[in-house]
Amino acid sequence: MSTTEQNRTNEIPSGPQNNKSEALETLRRRTTWKVYQTACHQLLCLLWLGPALTLVVLNFCGYVVGAGIGRHDCRFNVFSSRTFEEEAKCNTASHTAMGWLQLASKVVEIWFMIVISGILYDLLKLLTCLENHFPIAFLAKYVEFGDPLSLTRWPKGAKKFKHHAFIILVALFCLLVNLMGPASAVLTLPSLRWIDMAPRPLGVFDSINAHDPPRKSDVAINCNASMLAAGNFSCTQVPYAHILDQLFASVASSLEQIGATDIIFDPVISQEQQVSLIVNTTDADVDWIPVRQVGREISDDYLRYANAVRQEPLPANYAPLTSSLSTLLIRNGPIVGLAGGAYRGNLSVGIVGDEKTVRCYGGWDLYAEEGTEFTRCIRVGKGWTGTNMHSRFYLGDTDSPRNVTVDVYFADRVHTPSQPNDPPCFIDGSPQANPNCNWDQVFLADPPSERVQNTSVNIILVEYTVPELSTGSRTVWCDDIVYVKFDRYSLDPSPFSNFIHLTLLENADPRVAPGTAPLTVHSDWILAGWSVDQNGTVDGTRSAARTMIQLLKQALRDDVDHLNLTTLSFMDGVAADVGLSMIGYNISNGILAPDAYHPEVTASVKIYVWAYGLQSRTSIVGVAVLIIGIFCVLLRMAMAILGQGGYSSPRSLARLLLAALEHERDDPNNACDGCAKETRAMEEGLVMAKVQGPKISFLTRRVSL
């Protein structure tokens, strides 16, 4: 036999038995490969839980990364001249690490798409087992589900409930996959934020020492208990007389540059040991004054911090503070609010009993409407019940042989007459010593307007008497209403970002709650602010005295059309600020339980670091999306287990359609060819016979699952 004939003989197809053996061998090899692919796919889905759970835990726990991302050696000494250089290096490393984390979040998104693709592929095969007729457009859904535009192409053959349910499920997975990208990015990237370290409890706030006159020697460095008890408040001259003069001079300088305005543009900043304190004037009605006792305490915290961070090795409890981009030393404590104004009006005085005097001041327009002015009456003297106090001092006038008299009153009740004539108590606006007038009942009467309700109890009234200018029809006076609240004081200890060690209140705009009763304040605290003894005289050469006298004379000389008491009101408030800031407070240890009126006093630290957390709504949504994704992965695993290992990894759309169209069993005599094609179709997961329009009809419901 020739070679050509031998080759032709070799090309003759082998018998059916040989073809069937080859088909089975091919099936075995493909099955082995299929099992390997499926196992890898399931493992890939399972491994997705690793980064997903890590991101959820990191954000739930608020994990703190530190001063830099990707570098653990980012530690700063705020007192070092190389702080900015070291911080710049860590910022560069952090930006590089953020770029890599963004790429990682994209990997998580693509990874999750593989998981969802497998779920839809499994559901697609399951749906073929339940339906003899199946829209052919469904075959592409497990591939194109991530494209929102694919949802607009509604399959024409979808008529049954199962078809619509599958489409809705695809739409939900499309939404989930498209949210997974930004969700993973939000959770993967840490953010810069302030972290509160564990606070150190110091006790429970008991009371503020405003009701009593200055008595504690810690009011000022040169004061002692005996001097204060004798009313010798000039011991506060060091340093507070200089502070008050400095504030008055600063306002004078501001007025020379910008002139008088409705709001005096001059921050009230003063020093207390190692820190500076500023009066919060964001509220147009109430100035909030830091308490100097808190200032001294936070000054001590600053010294401890400054000494600790300079030590080698660094104390263990201070290590987190150097691993932050910025640090704040925190103390919570009381703040004092001051409201009030300056007025010019009539003065009427009536002696209505033994050591009982009623003083009525006109021109009060703090809450006036349409130019209306009220008269305010207070009780003076020891014969009255309740709390009434009086202190007096003088302002030395270098231009006159007679000094300016300053009378400071505290009154627990204020009466606002509704009309000048109200016999038997008032005639022409003057209080009368008429036995038929029940003055106790008068001062308990409700004010004529709700707007003055909160200013009718516990006020400080300061009356200024300038010789030859003050008369009964022209008297200048100021009222001060004092409140107390709790706030957090914060100090940035860095000498580069906070050179003057300015201590701020964390609540930038504190407000007085409706119905809050003003504080009882002894009148001697105003004298302590002026650093003057009881019935003593403030040196006329002091800047504060000269400025105040000048403003008083101008207010008394100006006619009504040119009267402007804004600057006088501001300066009277500055003097009160200094005195009220000296008021201390008491802490109870183990006696009182914390409540709204007795909050816990603590010292703590805030650090500015890179950290994970759920502080924003986007991070909360991101965690919710990721948790749904975790359940989807668990669903994929459950489907694989319930399918007894028959579930496979998704095949390409081309292979799926090719296998479906090749499946043909119309010729029962062609057993070998039909076996091979059926094997191919079963391998791809679908058994189909022919395409009829937009549908595929199935000859059998046997599907390789």
Side-chain angles (χ1 to χ4, degrees), residues 136 138-143 651-658:
I136 192 172
F138 277 14
L139 297 178
K141 291 302 180 185
Y142 79 97
V143 177
R651 301 293 191 266
S652 67
L653 182 60
R655 290 183 60 187
L656 187 63
L657 291 175
L658 180 62

Side-chain angles (χ1 to χ4, degrees), residues 132 663-666 687-690 697-701:
N132 283 332
H663 183 68
E664 185 177 12
R665 297 182 63 182
D666 293 340
V687 180
M688 312 175 202
K690 55 184 177 180
S697 298
F698 298 90
L699 292 178
T700 175
R701 292 185 181 181

Side-chain angles (χ1 to χ4, degrees), residues 455-467:
T455 62
S456 295
V457 294
N458 296 347
I459 75 162
I460 298 174
L461 191 150
V462 183
E463 176 189 338
Y464 296 96
T465 303
V466 180

